[in-house]
C-alpha cells in the first residue's frame, strides 16, 4: 500500500530570495559538476558549510558542500562525481548524532532528509514496510498506527530522527529490553556504494542456487558476498570471543550478525546486517525494508524510589526477571534540576524527598496476563497484580522505600517527560563546563551495573568532576556525561583520559563502548582495543572491499595509520582517528561578547545563549511543538533554530567574516525568516531563544546600517493605525483604488495580494468612554482589571475589546482603561527597535504600577501584547516595578481561568464545536491552554489544535518577499483546521484571525474566544 506523496515545501534558498550564493572557490569545479548531473539542490557556499559542520555531538568540521538528492539516481550520480574528484561522501539524516557520525571535514554531505522521505509501501499482513532513508521515524509510526503496528526501535529523538540515520547508527531506545535494536528488524536494503553502484542486500541461503548465481557473476555484489563470508569464517573464534553478549552493542561492524540461521533453519548471509550500524562508512542506504511489531493496547508504569544509586543498580537484574518492556533510571541530579526549572518542575513534584535514584518499570498488555476470562477483548490487563509482586520484592523485601504507580496515559506521559528531560536539563547549565557526550552510552551486563557504577564514580573522582546518571538501566546502558569545559586544553585532555579509563573499565566488565549512540569521532579511536588485532584487521579489509578508496564517511568505525596503509595497500588518506580532533569548540575557540541592549544575564550572556545550542535537532520536529514554523514550510536546515544558532555562533567566533552578520543575506536568510514565534524559548531543550537573539542582532544592525522606511513603519504601526482610524472610512477605500496596492508593493514592499486591516473611526477607547451601560462601581466589584487597548483591537476590531469588557464585568470585575498608556512595544521589539520598545515599556510600567499596587490585574485581548509584558519587558527593564507589572499581566482568558472569575458569570453556550488555534507566543510561555478550559466551562466543545505559528507573525505576512512563505506556513494551520471534527475555528491572535480570514473561500474572520464568551452570556 503506497502512500501519497505531498511536497508543499517552500523554497527559502538564497537564489529564491534574490541573493548570491557563491561557491567556496576550492570546491567550485566539484559543485559545477554536481549541478550538471544531480537534480537535487547543490549548496557549496560558506553558509552551507557552517550549517552542516555540526551534529548533536561535541564535534564540528566544515564539509565541502551539501547535496540534497531527489532520488536514488541522484545519490548514484553524486557518488560518481565525488569519486571523480576524489572527495569523501557523508550520508546524513537529521544530523542528531551524538558521537560525531554526521561530521566530516571536506566531505560531500548527502542530506537525505529533504526529499527522500517517503513511506513507499506497507504490508500489514507480513508486518513489513519499505521506506526511503529520510522518513522521520514518528512519521512512519503514525502511518503504521492505523494498522496497529510500529517500528520497534524507539530512540528519544524519534520525532526528528530519520529511519536511515537510525539504521546507520543501529539505533534503539527505552524499550530495547523487549525489542532489541535496529539490525533485528532490517530485512532488506538498497545501498549505493562509493563508486555509484547499487547493491540489493537481502537474505541469501549459503551454497544455494541463488548463492551460486550471485557469486558466479564476478561483479561488486559477488565480490562483497565472497569477501564477507571469508572474513566471518576465518575469524569465527575471534568473533565468538570478542563480541559482547549484550542486548545493546553498536560499536564496530556486525560481523557476528551477517551470517545466521533463518526461520527455516537455513544458514543465510544478509549484507544488510553489515550496513546497519556502519554509520555510512560502507555505503549510502537509499531504501529499507523493515519488519514491524504490534502495538500494545495498554501500558502501565511503576517508579521505585531508592535512597542510594548503587542500591537501584542492584535492583536492575531483579527487575529483568519480570515481563517488563522498559527499565529506566533517573538520579537525584535530574530530579534537582527538574525541580529548579520552570518547564519540568511539575513532573518532578511527585518524586519523594530523599530519592537518590529511581527505577521506572513499564509493563504492557501484550506481556501482562489479563483478568479472569482468558483475556477477552473487553477485559483489561492485570497490571495491579504485576505491580504488587514487584513492589513486594523491591519495597517490602528490598531497598526501595516508595513506589509511584501510573496507569493513565497522562500520568505515564508525565513520568516519561521527566525521564526524557534529563539531557536538556543537564545541557542548559550556565557557564562553559557542560555535561558532554563522549562516553555516555557505554554498556555492561545488567548484573554488573552496581559494581560498574561504583568504579565509574572513582574514575570521575580521580579526574575531579561529576556526572548525572540516567537512561536504559535494563539494557545495562547508562547515559553518564562528565561535566567538562572543552574550550580549554586541560578539559580536552581530561575528556581523553576519562575515555581511556572508561574503556578499560568497560572491557573489564565484558561490555561495549557504545550501546546506543555509535562510534563516530568519539569512540572509533578505541575500537582496536575492544576487538583485538585480528578483528581490527578484518574490519579494515571489510572497509576496503566495500569502499576501496576509503572515501565513505572516513574516520568513523575503522581507520588505519599511514604505515599500515602502505603495508596493506590502503589509500594514504586513511588516517588515525583521535577523539580530541575536530571539536566544535576546542582550546583555540574564542567568541565575541557584544555589549547588548537587552539583558542576557539570566542566560549567562549573549554568546552563551547562542552556544547553548547542542545540535540535537529538536527544532526539526514538525508536530507537537511550536518551533520552527519556517522550517516546517521549507524543510531547509538554515530555517531551524539549530541552523540560525550555528550561523550566529560562526558570526561571533570569527568563523565568518566579521562584517557578514550585517550583510543583506545574513539579515534576510538567517534572521529575516525567523518569525519571532518564541517557540524555541520553550521547545528547544536548552532554551536557545532565537526571538530574543534576533531582536538584539537586528537592533545592532539598525545601529550600524540604519533601517528602511517599511521597517520604521511597522515598528510604529500604532501611529499608522491611529492615522488610518482618524481618516476612516476614506483610509479603507484608498487601498481599493486601481493601482494602489501595486504601488504599495513597489514602494514599501507590502504584499499586494494580502488583505490589509480596515480601520474604524470609533475606536475601542472611544466606545468604552461613550458606552451607556453601567460599569461596576469599585465597592461592588469582586476585582479590578486594567484592560490594555492594543493597536489592533483599538483601531480595527473594537468589538473584541468591548466583548472583553462585557465578559469581565459579568464576572464581577471593574474594568478600567487608563488614558496614559503607550503601545506595548511588541512591533518595535520584534523588528529590532529596542530603544523605542524600551521607552514604551518604561512609560507603561510607570502608568500601570499604581494600579497594580492597588491590587488590579492588567488584562490583554491580544496575546502577543500580553506576553510582551510578561516576558520581554523583563529583558528591557530592571527593577521591582517591571517585575510587579509583569507578574500582574494576563491574557483575558488566562485571567479568567487563573482567577476563576468566569465562574462568577452565567454562561449558556449556544452550542457547536470550535477548533481552537492558540497563539504561538502564548504556547511558548505555556499560557494558551487557559482559553480551552474557560470555553469548556462556558459550555462549548473545544478541539485544541496541534499547531505552530499561523504564518502572519505581525508584519511578516504583509511583507512582499515573505507573502508566499507566510501562506505556506498558513497552509499547515489550514490542514489542522480541516482535520478537526469542529466546523468552526476560534483564535485569540489578531494575526491568526487575519490569516484564517484571508483563506480562500472564507467570508469572515474567526471570532476571538472572548467573543464566544460574550455570545454565551446569559442576559
Amino acid at each position: 500500500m503506497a502512500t501519497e506523496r505531498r511536497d508543499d515545501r517552500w523554497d527559502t534558498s538564497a537564489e529564491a530570495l534574490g541573493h548570491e550564493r557563491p561557491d567556496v572557490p576550492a570546491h567550485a569545479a566539484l559543485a559545477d559538476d554536481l549541478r550538471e548531473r544531480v537534480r537535487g539542490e547543490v549548496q557549496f557556499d560558506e553558509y552551507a558549510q557552517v550549517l552542516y559542520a555540526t551534529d548533536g555531538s561535541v564535534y564540528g568540521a566544515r564539509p565541502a558542500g551539501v547535496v540534497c538528492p531527489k532520488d536514488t539516481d541522484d545519490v548514484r550520480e553524486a557518488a560518481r562525481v565525488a569519486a571523480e574528484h576524489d572527495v569523501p561522501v557523508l550520508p546524513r539524516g537529521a544530523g542528531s548524532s551524538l558521537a560525531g557520525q554526521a561530521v566530516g571535514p571536506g566531505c560531500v554531505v548527502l542530506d537525505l532528509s529533504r526529499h527522500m522521505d517517503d513511506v513507499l509501501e506497507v504490508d500489514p499482513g507480513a508486518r513489513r514496510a519499505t521506506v526511503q532513508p529520510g522518513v522521520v521515524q514518528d512519521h512512519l509510526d503514525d502511518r503504521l498506527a492505523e494498522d496497529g503496528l510500529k517500528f520497534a526501535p524507539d530512540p528519544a529523538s524519534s520525532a526528528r530522527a530519520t529511519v536511515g540515520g537510525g539504521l546507520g547508527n543501529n539505533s534503539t531506545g527505552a524499550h530495547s529490553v523487549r525489542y532489541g535494536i535496529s539490525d533485528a528488524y532490517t530485512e532488506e536494503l538498497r545501498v549505493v556504494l562509493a563508486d555509484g553502484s547499487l547493491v540489493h542486500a537481502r537474505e541469501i541461503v549459503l551454497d544455494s542456487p541463488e548463492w551460486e548465481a550471485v557469486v558466479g557473476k564476478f561483479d561488486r555484489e559477488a565480490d562483497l558476498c565472497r569477501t564477507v563470508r571469508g572474513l566471518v569464517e576465518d575469524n569465527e573464534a575471534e568473533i565468538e570471543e570478542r563480541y559482547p553478549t549484550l542486548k545493546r552493542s553498536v560499536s564496530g561492524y556486525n560481523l557476528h550478525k551477517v551470517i545466521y540461521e533463518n526461520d527455516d533453519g537455513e544458514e543465510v548471509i544478509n549484507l544488510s546486517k553489515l550496513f546497519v550500524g556502519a554509520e555510512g562508512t560502507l555505503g549510502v542506504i537509499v531504501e529499507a525494508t523493515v519488519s514491524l511489531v504490534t502495538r500494545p493496547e495498554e501500558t502501565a508504569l511503576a517508579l521505585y524510589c531508592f535512597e542510594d544509586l548503587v542500591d537501584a543498580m542492584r535492583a536492575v537484574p531483579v527487575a529483568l526477571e519480570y515481563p517488563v518492556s522498559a527499565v529506566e533510571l533517573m538520579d537525584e541530579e535530574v530530579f534537582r534540576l527538574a525541580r529548579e526549572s520552570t518547564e519540568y518542575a511539575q513532573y518532578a513534584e511527585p518524586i519523594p524527598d530523599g530519592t537518590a535514584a529511581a527505577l521506572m518499570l513499564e509493563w504492557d498488555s501484550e506481556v501482562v496476563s489479563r483478568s479472569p476470562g482468558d483475556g477477552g477483548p473487553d477485559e483489561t490487563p492485570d497490571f495491579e497484580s504485576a505491580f504488587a509482586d514487584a513492589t513486594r520484592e523491591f519495597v517490602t523485601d528490598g531497598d526501595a522505600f516508595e513506589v509511584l504507580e501510573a496507569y493513565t496515559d497522562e500520568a505515564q506521559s508525565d513520568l516519561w517527560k521527566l525521564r526524557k528531560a534529563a539531557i536538556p536539563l543537564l545541557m542548559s547549565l550556565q557557564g562553559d563546563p557542560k555535561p558532554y557526550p563522549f562516553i555516555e552510552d557505554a554498556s555492561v551486563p545488567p548484573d554488573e551495573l552496581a559494581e560498574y557504577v561504583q568504579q565509574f564514580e572513582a574514575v570521575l573522582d580521580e579526574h575531579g568532576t561529576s556526572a548525572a546518571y540516567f537512561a536504559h538501566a535494563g539494557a545495562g546502558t547508562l547515559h553518564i556525561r562528565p561535566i567538562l569545559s572543552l574550550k580549554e586544553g586541560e578539559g580536552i585532555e581530561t575528556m581523553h583520559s576519562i575515555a581511556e579509563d572508561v574503556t578499560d573499565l568497560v572491557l573489564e566488565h565484558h561490555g561495549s563502548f557504545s550501546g546506543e549512540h555509535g562510534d563516530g569521532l568519539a569512540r572509533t579511536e578505541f575500537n582496536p582495543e575492544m576487538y583485538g588485532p585480528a578483528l581490527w584487521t578484518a574490519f579494515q579489509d571489510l572497509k576496503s572491499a566495500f569502499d576501496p578508496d576509503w572515501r565513505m564517511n572516513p574516520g568513523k568505525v575503522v581507520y588505519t595509520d599511514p604505515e599500515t596503509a602502505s603495508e596493506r595497500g590502503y589509500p594514504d588518506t586513511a588516517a588515525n582517528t583521535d577523539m580530541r580532533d575536530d571539536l566544535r569548540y576546542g582550546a583555540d575557540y574564542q567568541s565575541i561578547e557584544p555589549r547588548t541592549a537587552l539583558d542576557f544575564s539570566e542566560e549567562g550572556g549573549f554568546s552563551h545563549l547562542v552556544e547553548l545550542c547542542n545540535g540535537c535537532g529538536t527544532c526539526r520536529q514538525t508536530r507537537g511543538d511550536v518551533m520552527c514554523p519556517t522550517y516546517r514550510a521549507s524543510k531547509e536546515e538554515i530555517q531551524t533554530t539549530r541552523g540560525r544558532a550555528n550561523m550566529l555562533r560562526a558570526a561571533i567566533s570569527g568563523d565568518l567574516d566579521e562584517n557578514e552578520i550585517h550583510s543583506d543575506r545574513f539579515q534576510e536568510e538567517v534572521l529575516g525568516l525567523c518569525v519571532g514565534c518564541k517557540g524555541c524559548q520553550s521547545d528547544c531543550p536548552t532554551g536557545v531563544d532565537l526571538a530574543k537573539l534576533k531582536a538584539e542582532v537586528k537592533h545592532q544592525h539598525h545601529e550600524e546600517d540604519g533601517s528602511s522606511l517599511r521597517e520604521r513603519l511597522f515598528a510604529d504601526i500604532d501611529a499608522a493605525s491611529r492615522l488610518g482610524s482618524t481618516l476612516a472610512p476614506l483610509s479603507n477605500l484608498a487601498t481599493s483604488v486601481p493601482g494602489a496596492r501595486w504601488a504599495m508593493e513597489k514602494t514599501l514592499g507590502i504584499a499586494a495580494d494580502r488583505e490589509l486591516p480596515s480601520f474604524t473611526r470609533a475606536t475601542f477607547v472611544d466606545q468604552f468612554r461613550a458606552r451607556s451601560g453601567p460599569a461596576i462601581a469599585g465597592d461592588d466589584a469582586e476585582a479590578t482589571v486594567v484592560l490594555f487597548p492594543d493597536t489592533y483591537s483599538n483601531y480595527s476590531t473594537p468589538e473584541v475589546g468591548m466583548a472583553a469588557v462585557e465578559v469581565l464585568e459579568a464576572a464581577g470585575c471593574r474594568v478600567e482603561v487608563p488614558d496614559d498608556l503607550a503601545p506595548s512595544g511588541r512591533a518595535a521589539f520584534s523588528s529590532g527597535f529596542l530603544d523605542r520598545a524600551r521607552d514604551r515599556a518604561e512609560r507603561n510600567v510607570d502608568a500601570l504600577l499604581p494600579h497594580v499596587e492597588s491590587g488590579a490585574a492588567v488584562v490583554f485581548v491580544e496575546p502577543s501584547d500580553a506576553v510582551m509584558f510578561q516576558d520581554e519587558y523583563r529583558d528591557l527593564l530592571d527593577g521591582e516595578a517591571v517585575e510587579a507589572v509583569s507578574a500582574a499581566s494576563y491574557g483575558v482568558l488566562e485571567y479568567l481561568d487563573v482567577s476563576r472569575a468566569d465562574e462568577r458569570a452565567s454562561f449558556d453556550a449556544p452550542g457547536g464545536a470550535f477548533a481552537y488555534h492558540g497563539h504561538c507566543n502564548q504556547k511558548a510561555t505555556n499560557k494558551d491552554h487557559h482559553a480551552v478550559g474557560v470555553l469548556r466551562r462556558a459550555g462549548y466543545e473545544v478541539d485544541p489544535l496541534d499547531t505552530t505559528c499561523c504564518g502572519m507573525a505581525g508584519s511578516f505576512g504583509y511583507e512582499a518577499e515573505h507573502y508566499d512563505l507566510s501562506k505556506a506556513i498558513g497552509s499547515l494551520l489550514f490542514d489542522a483546521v480541516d482535520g478537526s471534527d469542529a466546523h468552526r475555528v476560534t483564535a485569540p491572535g489578531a494575526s491568526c484571525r487575519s490569516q484564517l480570514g484571508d483563506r480562500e473561500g472564507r467570508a469572515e474572520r474567526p471570532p476571538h474566544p472572548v467573543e464566544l464568551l460574550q455570545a454565551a452570556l446569559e442576559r
Side-chain angles (χ1 to χ4, degrees):
M1 185 189 311
T3 60
E4 181 182 354
R5 171 84 176 164
R6 178 182 176 184
D7 194 346
D8 55 0
R9 298 163 189 167
W10 185 252
D11 187 4
T12 61
S13 64
E15 291 83 356
L17 295 169
H19 301 140
E20 290 187 9
R21 179 172 272 179
D23 294 331
V24 174
H27 306 293
L30 169 61
D32 288 343
D33 287 352
L34 284 166
R35 289 192 181 99
E36 280 188 20
R37 294 162 59 177
V38 171
R39 294 183 299 112
E41 297 86 350
V42 176
Q43 302 170 1
F44 271 66
D45 63 297
E46 198 172 26
Y47 279 28
Q49 291 182 342
V50 169
L51 289 167
Y52 287 84
T54 59
D55 55 8
S57 71
V58 299
Y59 295 98
R62 283 197 184 192
V66 182
V67 175
C68 301
K70 292 278 189 179
D71 52 26
T72 296
D73 288 343
D74 264 5
V75 175
R76 299 183 72 180
E77 281 302 310
R80 292 182 183 120
V81 173
E84 293 165 9
H85 286 262
D86 194 26
V87 173
V89 174
L90 193 167
R92 173 172 167 133
S96 56
S97 308
L98 290 173
Q101 294 93 325
V103 172
C107 290
V108 173
V109 173
L110 301 180
D111 184 348
L112 301 166
S113 70
R114 179 148 166 73
H115 299 297
M116 299 181 67
D117 59 351
D118 273 351
V119 178
L120 300 174
E121 185 177 7
V122 176
D123 185 343
R127 294 184 184 174
R128 177 183 298 180
T130 300
V131 303
Q132 291 182 310
V135 65
V136 173
Q137 178 162 333
D138 276 3
H139 299 179
L140 170 61
D141 282 340
D142 288 346
R143 165 62 186 85
L144 299 174
E146 61 192 69
D147 295 306
L149 301 171
K150 67 176 181 177
F151 186 49
D154 60 338
S157 57
S158 62
R160 70 265 190 195
T162 63
V163 172
L167 295 178
N169 202 52
N170 206 358
S171 294
T172 181
H175 295 86
S176 62
V177 294
R178 179 173 178 199
Y179 295 116
I181 60 180
S182 289
D183 58 50
Y185 300 92
T186 307
E187 298 187 5
E188 301 180 21
L189 296 175
R190 282 181 166 78
V191 183
V192 173
L193 303 180
D195 62 357
S197 58
L198 183 65
V199 173
H200 180 198
R202 66 213 184 270
E203 279 191 2
I204 301 174
V205 177
L206 291 177
D207 301 322
S208 67
E210 183 183 11
W211 168 261
E212 297 299 336
V214 168
V215 299
K217 292 179 181 178
F218 293 96
D219 57 9
R220 289 301 309 278
E221 182 181 22
D223 180 54
L224 294 178
C225 285
R226 286 193 300 268
T227 298
V228 170
R229 183 176 186 178
L231 288 172
V232 172
E233 291 177 349
D234 291 347
N235 291 278
E236 188 174 352
E238 282 292 295
I239 289 172
E240 178 70 23
E241 172 69 21
R242 288 283 186 171
Y243 279 89
T245 56
L246 298 170
K247 285 184 177 291
R248 293 165 169 255
S249 179
V250 299
S251 290
Y253 291 124
N254 285 335
L255 285 175
H256 60 318
K257 294 182 177 180
V258 68
I259 294 177
Y260 56 92
E261 192 174 280
N262 67 10
D263 292 340
D264 296 326
E266 301 165 312
E267 191 173 33
V268 300
I269 187 170
N270 189 342
L271 297 184
S272 69
K273 306 298 182 181
L274 275 179
F275 289 112
V276 175
E279 301 182 6
T281 61
L282 303 181
V284 183
I285 297 171
V286 292
E287 186 177 301
T289 298
V290 296
S291 54
L292 311 171
V293 297
T294 55
R295 289 173 177 261
E297 294 180 2
E298 298 173 72
T299 58
L301 291 176
L303 191 77
Y304 293 95
C305 303
F306 296 81
E307 294 178 342
D308 183 81
L309 174 66
V310 175
D311 288 342
M313 294 298 91
R314 291 195 184 100
V316 171
V318 179
L320 293 174
E321 295 175 4
Y322 291 88
V324 291
S325 52
V327 180
E328 296 288 292
L329 172 75
M330 292 174 278
D331 82 343
E332 59 187 339
E333 183 67 6
V334 174
F335 299 142
R336 181 186 69 79
L337 291 170
R339 290 189 182 100
E340 293 175 357
S341 76
T342 301
E343 185 175 356
Y344 298 108
Q346 59 182 314
Y347 307 126
E349 187 176 345
I351 307 300
D353 293 340
T355 302
L359 287 182
M360 187 167 72
L361 277 58
E362 182 188 83
W363 281 260
D364 69 53
S365 54
E366 292 188 347
V367 295
V368 172
S369 61
R370 293 181 177 271
S371 53
D374 298 325
D378 296 328
E379 295 161 358
T380 58
D382 192 11
F383 289 128
E384 292 186 12
S385 294
F387 284 176
D389 292 341
T391 298
R392 188 162 39 250
E393 183 144 22
F394 289 129
V395 179
T396 307
D397 300 328
D399 294 317
F401 67 90
E402 192 167 333
V403 59
L404 306 177
E405 298 178 0
Y407 298 99
T408 66
D409 290 344
E410 182 180 4
Q412 292 178 62
S413 175
D414 286 351
L415 288 177
W416 278 116
K417 285 176 181 176
L418 180 61
R419 157 61 190 87
K420 292 181 179 181
I423 290 178
L425 285 168
L426 291 167
M427 292 305 294
S428 62
L429 290 174
Q430 286 196 16
D432 289 335
K434 291 284 190 296
Y436 286 117
F438 59 94
I439 44 88
E440 84 291 349
D441 68 329
S443 299
V444 301
D447 57 0
E448 299 185 38
L449 269 176
E451 183 181 0
Y452 171 73
V453 165
Q454 289 174 304
Q455 293 172 320
F456 201 110
E457 284 280 305
V459 170
L460 296 177
D461 288 343
E462 182 179 343
H463 291 284
T465 188
S466 61
Y469 294 76
F470 61 97
H472 319 299
T477 303
L478 298 182
H479 292 335
I480 310 173
R481 296 188 172 197
I483 299 174
L484 300 168
S485 171
L486 297 185
K487 292 182 179 179
E488 304 168 358
E490 182 180 355
I492 294 169
E493 292 306 316
T494 299
M495 174 184 73
H496 191 257
S497 181
I498 290 174
E500 290 180 317
D501 291 347
V502 171
T503 295
D504 294 338
L505 185 58
V506 168
L507 291 177
E508 179 184 332
H509 286 277
H510 316 288
S512 170
F513 301 154
S514 177
E516 182 171 17
H517 297 156
D519 293 327
L521 294 170
R523 286 180 280 273
T524 294
E525 173 184 350
F526 304 104
N527 274 341
E529 186 175 352
M530 178 172 175
Y531 288 104
L535 285 182
W536 185 243
T537 298
F539 286 176
Q540 294 172 329
D541 290 343
L542 182 75
K543 170 72 171 175
S544 289
F546 282 82
D547 179 20
D549 296 320
W550 285 57
R551 288 188 303 97
M552 297 302 300
N553 204 6
K556 321 304 190 313
V557 183
V558 65
Y559 64 87
T560 184
D561 57 64
E563 182 179 349
T564 304
S566 176
E567 291 175 358
R568 300 188 61 81
Y570 303 143
D572 293 336
T573 53
N576 288 329
T577 295
D578 189 315
M579 71 177 299
R580 292 166 289 190
D581 294 339
D582 294 318
L583 293 171
R584 185 186 307 190
Y585 296 110
D588 296 329
Y589 177 86
Q590 292 183 328
S591 63
I592 300 169
E593 181 60 41
R595 187 170 63 181
T596 61
L598 295 175
D599 182 4
F600 287 89
S601 58
E602 286 191 10
E603 296 89 353
F606 179 94
S607 297
H608 185 263
L609 180 57
V610 172
E611 293 166 3
L612 275 177
C613 176
N614 60 18
C616 67
T618 303
C619 43
R620 292 173 61 97
Q621 295 177 189
T622 58
R623 62 194 69 176
D625 286 334
V626 176
M627 69 173 183
C628 184
T630 46
Y631 171 75
R632 296 186 187 196
S634 72
K635 298 298 191 293
E636 293 187 8
E637 178 69 18
I638 198 170
Q639 299 313 323
T640 63
T641 301
R642 175 175 71 181
R644 294 181 176 113
N646 275 332
M647 295 303 298
L648 282 171
R649 180 171 47 79
I652 65 174
S653 65
D655 202 21
L656 289 173
D657 183 271
E658 61 180 351
N659 295 316
E660 182 62 27
I661 199 169
H662 293 298
S663 70
D664 290 343
R665 185 180 169 198
F666 194 99
Q667 289 293 314
E668 176 59 23
E669 280 191 74
V670 179
L671 301 178
L673 297 183
C674 168
V675 296
C677 67
K678 296 176 63 71
C680 47
Q681 184 184 43
S682 59
D683 297 340
C684 172
T686 54
V688 179
D689 188 348
L690 243 300
K692 183 175 180 179
L693 290 168
K694 172 192 172 181
E696 180 63 47
V697 177
K698 293 293 286 185
H699 170 78
Q700 304 284 355
H701 180 64
H702 294 325
E703 295 284 302
E704 180 81 13
D705 287 358
S707 55
S708 69
L709 174 61
R710 189 184 68 182
E711 287 176 318
R712 295 193 297 274
L713 173 67
F714 282 135
D716 198 13
I717 195 64
D718 193 81
S721 298
R722 183 168 61 251
L723 179 62
S725 174
T726 301
L727 299 177
L730 292 178
S731 55
N732 299 325
L733 296 173
T735 58
S736 63
V737 173
R741 303 300 299 277
W742 176 87
M744 290 181 67
E745 180 164 326
K746 293 302 179 182
T747 58
L748 293 175
I750 297 175
D753 292 331
R754 176 66 73 183
E755 191 71 28
L756 295 176
S758 60
F759 301 104
T760 178
R761 182 179 291 271
T763 67
F764 161 67
V765 173
D766 292 339
Q767 293 183 35
F768 180 80
R769 303 261 187 277
R771 64 199 179 120
S772 57
I776 297 180
D779 294 340
D780 298 328
E782 296 285 344
T784 298
V785 300
V786 174
L787 185 59
F788 185 85
D790 68 271
T791 299
Y792 196 78
S793 299
N794 194 27
Y795 299 116
S796 293
T797 58
E799 64 273 15
V800 177
M802 294 306 297
V805 172
E806 187 173 351
V807 170
L808 287 166
E809 290 187 343
C813 299
R814 181 174 182 268
V815 180
E816 298 177 351
V817 181
D819 295 322
D820 52 351
L821 296 178
S824 71
R826 164 60 68 192
F829 183 95
S830 297
S831 50
F833 292 88
L834 299 184
D835 291 339
R836 187 176 304 177
R838 180 178 292 104
D839 289 343
R840 292 174 175 178
E842 287 176 342
R843 178 174 164 185
N844 285 330
V845 168
D846 288 345
L848 289 169
L849 183 61
H851 297 274
V852 169
E853 290 178 335
S854 297
V858 186
V859 175
F860 303 78
V861 296
E862 176 53 42
S864 62
D865 285 335
V867 175
M868 183 71 185
F869 274 68
Q870 293 167 334
D871 191 8
E872 281 85 355
Y873 272 22
R874 297 172 63 248
D875 293 323
L876 290 164
L877 305 174
D878 292 323
E880 296 180 359
V882 68
E883 294 293 338
V885 171
S886 177
S889 298
Y890 304 88
V892 61
L893 277 295
E894 177 191 2
Y895 173 77
L896 292 171
D897 190 37
V898 170
S899 67
R900 281 299 195 267
D902 62 303
E903 296 178 357
R904 298 195 294 265
S906 298
F907 295 104
D908 184 15
F914 281 84
Y916 171 72
H917 167 64
H919 194 279
C920 53
N921 286 178
Q922 286 192 318
K923 286 186 176 183
T925 51
N926 196 30
K927 307 285 187 181
D928 69 300
H929 62 282
H930 296 291
V932 177
V934 175
L935 289 174
R936 285 175 174 168
R937 289 199 296 273
Y940 288 102
E941 295 179 37
V942 184
D943 177 19
L945 299 177
D946 177 14
T947 48
T948 180
C949 176
C950 68
M952 282 297 292
S955 64
F956 184 86
Y958 292 102
E959 295 161 358
E961 70 274 25
H962 299 148
Y963 172 76
D964 288 328
L965 178 57
S966 170
K967 298 298 285 187
I969 298 171
S971 70
L972 304 176
L973 169 58
F974 303 156
D975 288 344
V977 172
D978 292 344
S980 174
D981 291 334
H983 299 299
R984 293 173 290 177
V985 62
T986 181
S991 292
C992 311
R993 300 197 303 278
S994 295
Q995 183 80 293
L996 289 161
D998 283 358
R999 187 180 182 186
E1000 185 178 353
R1002 304 289 169 170
E1004 58 184 23
R1005 68 167 179 83
H1008 189 292
V1010 79
E1011 291 180 288
L1012 296 183
L1013 294 180
Q1014 180 191 37
L1017 283 173
E1018 290 184 341
R1019 296 176 173 84

